[in-house]
Amino acid sequence: MTAEPGVCCLEPATGPQRIHFFEDDHYGLDDIPEMFRLGTLEADPEGRVRLALAPAEIRELKVMADAYSFDMPEGLVHLIADLHRFAGERGAPRYVFVEVD
């Protein structure tokens, strides 16, 4: 994995999968439950921000981000699009994302 900060999905079968590199805006996974009331922040053994989302929450999140994209950091819009794209390529019942350096 690179040293660039971003977001990974914790996949039990394949290990962490990098899905997003942070941009210059100030945003993160913890903005999602705060701004959209979706997902669940979980404890992480390494003290990182960790967010669990169901597929239905990711779909709803994408719709909301598209509707309000003018009112949020561009990087957050890109993060949500990356979460949506990643989940759309898989069929898991739940996804756990974590911020990494």
Side-chain angles (χ1 to χ4, degrees):
M1 227 172 289
T2 70
E4 277 188 74
V7 172
C8 285
C9 183
L10 300 178
E11 291 209 26
T14 61
Q17 299 291 311
R18 180 70 67 124
I19 62 164
H20 179 79
F21 289 98
F22 283 127
E23 300 170 20
D24 291 335
D25 296 333
H26 297 287
Y27 66 96
L29 286 173
D30 53 350
D31 290 327
I32 293 171
E34 182 179 321
M35 293 174 71
F36 300 101
R37 306 271 189 251
L38 294 170
T40 304
L41 289 172
E42 296 184 343
D44 184 81
E46 297 178 33
R48 304 170 299 186
V49 176
R50 185 173 172 155
L51 179 67
L53 289 161
E57 291 176 308
I58 295 172
R59 287 189 298 274
E60 183 178 350
L61 180 61
K62 177 71 166 90
V63 169
M64 293 170 75
D66 288 346
Y68 300 106
S69 63
F70 59 87
D71 210 21
M72 66 179 72
E74 187 175 357
L76 182 57
V77 174
H78 294 163
L79 169 61
I80 292 167
D82 289 342
L83 297 176
H84 185 260
R85 184 174 21 263
F86 180 84
E89 296 170 354
R90 288 154 177 78
R94 180 175 178 268
Y95 298 91
V96 178
F97 301 99
V98 64
E99 292 183 4
V100 296
D101 291 330

